[in-house]
Amino acid sequence: MAESREASVYALLADGTTVRIRGAGADDTDAVRSFFERMSPANRRLRFFSAGSTSAQQAADRVGRSHPPGYRALVAEHEGALIGLAEYETVRDPRSAEISLAVGDDWHHRGVGTLLLEHLAHEARTAGFTAFFADALADNHEVLKVFADLGLRVVRHTEGPEARLTVELRPREAYLSAVDARGSSADVASLLPLLRPRSVVVIGAGRTPGSVGRAILRNIRTGCFTGRVLAVHPKAPALLGIRACPTVADLPVVPDLAVIAVPASAVVEIAQECGQFGVRALCVVTAGLDSATGSTLMDICRRHGMRMVGPNCLGLANTETAVCLDATFAARHPGPGSAGVAVQSGGVGIALLDGLHRLGIGVSSFVSLGDKYDVSGNDLLQWWESDDRTDLALLHLESFGNPRAFSRTARRVSRTMPVLTVDAGRSEAGHRAAASHTAAAATRTTTRAALFAQAGVTATRSISELLDAAALMHSQPLPVGARVAIVSNAGGAAVLAADACEEAGLTVPPLGPDLVGELLARLPAGASAANPVDTTPTVDEEQLRACIDRLAQHGAVDAVLVLLVPTAVATATGDDLVQALAHGEKQPRPVVGVLPAQSTRVELLDGAVPVYGDAQDAARALAHAVARARWLNRQPESTEQPAPDEPQESRALVTEFLAANPEGGWLDPGRTAALLDQYDIPQIRWAWARDESEAVAAAERLVGAGGQVVMKAHWPGLLHKSQEHALHLDLRGSQQVRAAHRDLTTRFGELMTGVVIQPLADRGTELFAGIVQDGVFGPLVVFGQGGTATDLLADHAARLAPLDEADVLDLITAPRCEPLLFGYAGAPKADLDALEDLLRGLSRMACDLPQLAEADLNPVLAGPHGIHALDARIRLVPREPRDPYLRRLR
């Protein structure tokens, strides 16, 4: 076992304080001794079972000495001072280790010990340990509570004055949920100086109009910020009536938040001054920082415990009555409300703020993330989850620092409010040609779609589409299904609306005779109520309202779309048909309007009913609402499956292969089959043959004298056998087997290392399944139509591993080939239980083996009697595991 030697990281304590976690060694001997010498006798007794003076030196010597594999020590530091120490050391069982934990007297109850244990457990798991054990005094209630609350399975055995704890290191769902809760609480606490500051300083506001800094200072002043506002200017004593000081150090108070709008060359110096002065948060609007400057800036923020928004951003705002902060250079103040907005692009931010203002939807908080060095969309989701104001989250994210952490957070937050995003960065310009079918299928678009679908995030393709969906979800109940009733005073326009609904994945079902009769009784003569409902141009406001109310309250449909065109009849009678939308009863089902004569794309009529200028926009918004309702109706399930034994054999196979192939590579057929067997992934029977005689013997052994076999050539790096014409089908008898082998040998010569012999497979549906490790998103399971045309048809779906039961079902039903699995057009109906098991096995393998770069099962033959992979390829690369859920700052 080899211990991880990951570089030091910064992380947050429970109160939002930033600390550094790093490995300890010989250079820390003096610091460790001093740490224990400063500890009170009572705490030394709890740590060492004795308050003796020699314990400190012994502990320091143990940390400082050279250790064989099996020992690891981590320290927590705050501004260079050691505040906590955690160690593990194997004693007898090579898969378990004894641990110890100590926290400085002044740092109790702030989460230091818990954070150290999380990181120590991660390092131990990486090294192959499966359990910790610890001895503690039975009256050491604080440390016993730390272990009990950790989230891992802990067994406690007490004998006399001592308690022995055994901690299982497997990170089950309960542990991940506990880490989520601790991380969210700490994250929100760290954002308080940013989003609820008591004082703000603007650095870089000029004396003449036109500077960004001056515009931000003006917005803070005119926005009625409730705290103290200051400025830094080398010469001016005041700016816009606000006191200014020559330097940060000259300020009369230490501000919570500093807004930096100075030239790029001065950002590092100003940030350093802020950190030394004790500023707790930065908003850096300056653009043009090179990588070296950015790295230095981040180091300053981490060392001084400052959270940062930006650089290259529009600023931030919080409309809470107790705050009223507008530290942006936007043209107008955001109105107060319940929509949280986080964007990477300042231009997108301005467009969203303008669109929300037009709709009358106010903002709870707005953050322009810019280059996103520190604070991210994940941070803002956790803030909105806890602020008791936000009920609608709007995101524009061009990149993800930790997509898997984002997925867990978004999945949780999406159950409490709609989370909508503009799916930026869909282009495949950066997607390189991939070796395997699996890698080719896992495009950037597919990967992002998987992330959003699993997390319950509504992904739109433009700012306008996002505002369309936001208007509906903000004002209307969600539909329980996809059935839409269309009501219109113009029959031709209603047909177009029906087409738009069908194209968006909605249905326009015929209405039952009883409901048709009720509607016709409410409408003028000549009306039709088949769906679409044609009210005729002579309908008046009262009749139209009665029709809408009945449809919205009847269970025959899930939503009502009302399309109205202006007519001379309505003008002559003085009826305003649009008011029938706004002044009807509050409905249990969503009602949306379409006014083709409307000059704007979408409006909220009386703040209650979304009205669109085009039926296609209305239909897409309804489809997004339907998708959200379906996602909410899925029971939230744990991704944790019944735990098999630790995958020691599969990891040993991977370790052995990479030791012999340090650069990685494709597994040979034997190792591929062995790895698939570890995860119960069924394969068709096969045999390996090195020469012609072995091929004949293998064929007879597999199918007997008269059976049919398939012969496939093999050599390292061969991926697409059909393209290389490296296989023969329908071989019967020894003569055909010999002839086929001679043909392959003639064409490929010494390149070919052997052949694989398989029985000719029965009839079934050819599918494709696999795994790809995305460098940013982590492991994905990909599934779809297989065979030689899999890349051409591109009928695939993907989900991030680990898969829960809903994910497995989504994978099976998402591809267009889904009807084939249920016997469409005479195809054999597939064994769906076996197919689900195969996808679960791939999910486990993807999570267990970070070195697995690609696994390509194509084709997978699905029939009524089971599922079998007919061909499989697996590629391994050297890669250290990285826990995406480990608490650390970027």
Side-chain angles (χ1 to χ4, degrees), residues 202-219 233 239-240 261-263 285 328-330:
V202 178
I203 306 168
R207 286 188 288 188
T208 57
S211 75
V212 169
R214 188 178 180 88
I216 292 173
L217 187 62
R218 180 186 298 109
N219 273 353
H233 191 282
L239 295 169
L240 299 174
V262 301
V285 301
T328 74
F329 55 93

Side-chain angles (χ1 to χ4, degrees), residues 450 572 638 768 814 827:
S638 166
F768 152 81

